Amino acid sequence: MSGLISDYNIVTNTYISEDTGASQTLAQWRTQTGKETHSFIATAAQLFTSAAANNYTLLATSPAINAGDPSFTPPPFYDQRGPNYVRVYDGQIDIGSFEVQPSPHSTPRPTPTPRSRPIPAPRP
């Protein structure tokens, strides 16, 4: 595991060795490796709008919000949605590929105001 850097992740409570198939908890993994100091356990229901529908935007109450590595500096400058969505919003990166932030505002287009037209008087 030399060179492995792993922290600020959201995980399940079971780590399984690819070599032996043995499993251990997050606490055991931390004790054994010294890794995942800031990582925590959460479920998809706690994190995402609707994982079942492949909607992985974070819930407003998601523990992933502002829980990423505070020393992160871009690049990337944007989250996976592109240039309208900055990668760090509100001072600290969120864990995951979506950064919670207000939707980008488009320039409003003026809409004409309906006007009543005078009705011509009948001709005699």
Side-chain angles (χ1 to χ4, degrees):
M1 294 225 293
S2 161
L4 174 68
I5 299 171
S6 188
D7 201 3
Y8 294 96
N9 295 300
I10 301 170
V11 299
T12 64
N13 198 29
T14 305
Y15 283 73
I16 299 175
S17 169
E18 292 180 358
D19 297 328
T20 66
S23 64
Q24 55 190 325
T25 65
L26 174 58
Q28 291 168 324
W29 172 259
R30 284 178 174 153
T31 300
Q32 177 186 340
T33 65
K35 310 291 184 197
E36 307 290 357
T37 305
H38 300 95
S39 298
F40 58 90
I41 299 164
T43 66
Q46 293 170 310
L47 299 167
F48 306 119
T49 301
S50 179
N54 294 321
N55 183 344
Y56 296 102
T57 54
L58 297 177
L59 292 168
T61 57
S62 175
I65 296 172
N66 291 336
D69 185 348
S71 66
F72 171 84
T73 55
F77 294 97
Y78 310 110
D79 77 11
Q80 73 170 20
R81 296 169 290 182
N84 290 327
Y85 297 91
V86 295
R87 189 60 191 112
V88 178
Y89 182 84
D90 198 24
Q92 187 169 341
I93 194 168
D94 298 343
I95 295 176
S97 62
F98 288 101
E99 185 74 11
V100 171
Q101 57 197 280
S103 296
H105 301 289
S106 59
T107 305
R109 294 182 182 196
T111 54
T113 304
R115 296 183 189 177
S116 58
R117 294 184 178 186
I119 300 172
R123 293 186 184 180

